[in-house]
Amino acid sequence: APGVFFPAWTYNGRVPGPTIRATEGDRVRINFINASGHPHTIHFHGIHSAAMDGVPGQGEIFSGETFVYDFIAEPFGTHHYHCHSVPLTQHIHRGLYGAFIVDPKQGRPEANEMVLVMNGFDTNFDGENEIYAVNTVGFAYMVEPIQIERGRLQRAHVINLTEFDPINSIHLHANFFNLYRTGTSLEPDEFTDTISMAQAERHMIEFTYDEPGHFMFHAHQTEFVELGWISAFQVS
Ligand code: CU
Ligand code: CU
């Protein structure tokens, strides 16, 4: 956020970490190098063996050590990964998470795609967030709206990795979207304009804007809006 800096813990120097994308059935190998001073893991949401679960005792990597997470990508859907070392609130809210997208074998219709990771930052370490955002920087997409084309299908992978608040939400202005819960089906579950999501819930949403203009999207908790989680599309 403007003028606010936060000592993040990161995968590859960024928050969220890199988006990892595969097709269902692909073999995925992640080379994990712990160059930090704390133990960390990568805990993937998906189906895999206990040895690849990335929790303390199985796949927790100590400072200076390396590990290869090796598994088959399944099921298809909008997933995520995060550190599972303790204390968990610290390892997650400091930035150790990212999107893990698994595409269905048969593919999906052509679309403009985006990843929206809902997150928050406790910048004074009092156990509550001072900043909320999608993709880390509060108000960023109000300053520079996401440019989209009218009439073109938009597909957003929306992932809630907000720590300290049990619920986050997303609302699109002047439009409705098809909701694919957890992205694990080819047919939409619901047609709506607002969804609430608990921590770690994630959904795929699809929508099209037919007219040009400036359209907001944001959390529907107004406290989160005022603290940064408000964004916009510029449709042209
Ligand atoms: Cu960690
Ligand atoms: Cu999790």
Side-chain angles (χ1 to χ4, degrees):
V4 179
F5 294 85
F6 181 78
W9 295 353
T10 73
Y11 293 120
N12 287 7
R14 43 173 288 177
V15 181
T19 293
I20 296 170
R21 189 161 200 175
T23 300
E24 62 172 330
D26 282 354
R27 184 171 177 186
V28 178
R29 285 198 205 97
I30 310 289
N31 295 300
F32 183 47
I33 302 158
N34 186 353
S36 81
H38 298 269
H40 294 294
T41 80
I42 310 180
H43 167 70
F44 284 88
H45 282 227
I47 300 169
H48 48 247
S49 67
M52 293 299 145
D53 201 38
V55 294
Q58 322 188 101
E60 185 176 53
I61 313 309
F62 293 93
S63 186
E65 294 184 346
T66 64
F67 187 79
V68 181
Y69 295 98
D70 185 335
F71 54 86
I72 303 299
E74 60 179 340
F76 75 77
T78 295
H79 308 310
H80 57 85
Y81 61 87
H82 58 84
C83 184
H84 216 299
S85 290
V86 293
L88 204 48
T89 49
Q90 293 305 312
H91 285 256
I92 292 180
H93 110 270
R94 290 194 188 224
L96 290 169
Y97 47 75
F100 173 45
I101 311 296
V102 181
D103 293 308
K105 275 191 179 130
Q106 58 269 61
R108 295 196 192 268
E110 197 283 325
N112 177 53
E113 291 188 272
M114 63 192 85
V115 168
L116 302 173
V117 175
M118 304 195 287
N119 52 4
F121 295 91
D122 174 14
T123 57
N124 61 5
F125 303 100
D126 66 351
E128 292 183 21
N129 293 312
E130 278 66 48
I131 302 289
Y132 294 89
V134 279
N135 301 338
T136 301
V137 181
F139 303 105
Y141 301 127
M142 287 302 277
V143 179
E144 276 184 66
I146 296 172
Q147 304 287 326
I148 62 177
E149 261 173 79
R150 80 191 246 196
R152 184 167 181 205
L153 181 64
Q154 307 294 322
R155 178 177 300 129
H157 297 277
V158 184
I159 301 172
N160 180 15
L161 284 159
T162 314
E163 195 52 76
F164 305 120
D165 297 277
I167 304 286
N168 206 324
S169 60
I170 182 169
H171 164 57
L172 258 59
H173 274 229
N175 209 344
F176 268 58
F177 52 81
N178 277 316
L179 169 67
Y180 301 75
R181 302 189 70 86
T182 321
T184 48
S185 81
L186 300 172
E187 297 299 324
D189 297 291
E190 196 178 331
F191 187 55
T192 182
D193 68 353
T194 308
I195 43 169
S196 295
M197 296 160 64
Q199 193 183 34
E201 271 194 280
R202 64 280 182 191
H203 300 308
M204 196 184 92
I205 65 172
E206 288 185 345
F207 51 93
T208 303
Y209 278 92
D210 291 327
E211 290 184 32
H214 181 270
F215 299 95
M216 285 201 259
F217 66 99
H218 55 78
H220 219 293
Q221 289 116 308
T222 41
E223 181 199 3
F224 294 6
V225 170
E226 289 169 357
L227 294 173
W229 179 179
I230 180 166
S231 301
F233 294 117
Q234 185 66 44
V235 182
S236 56

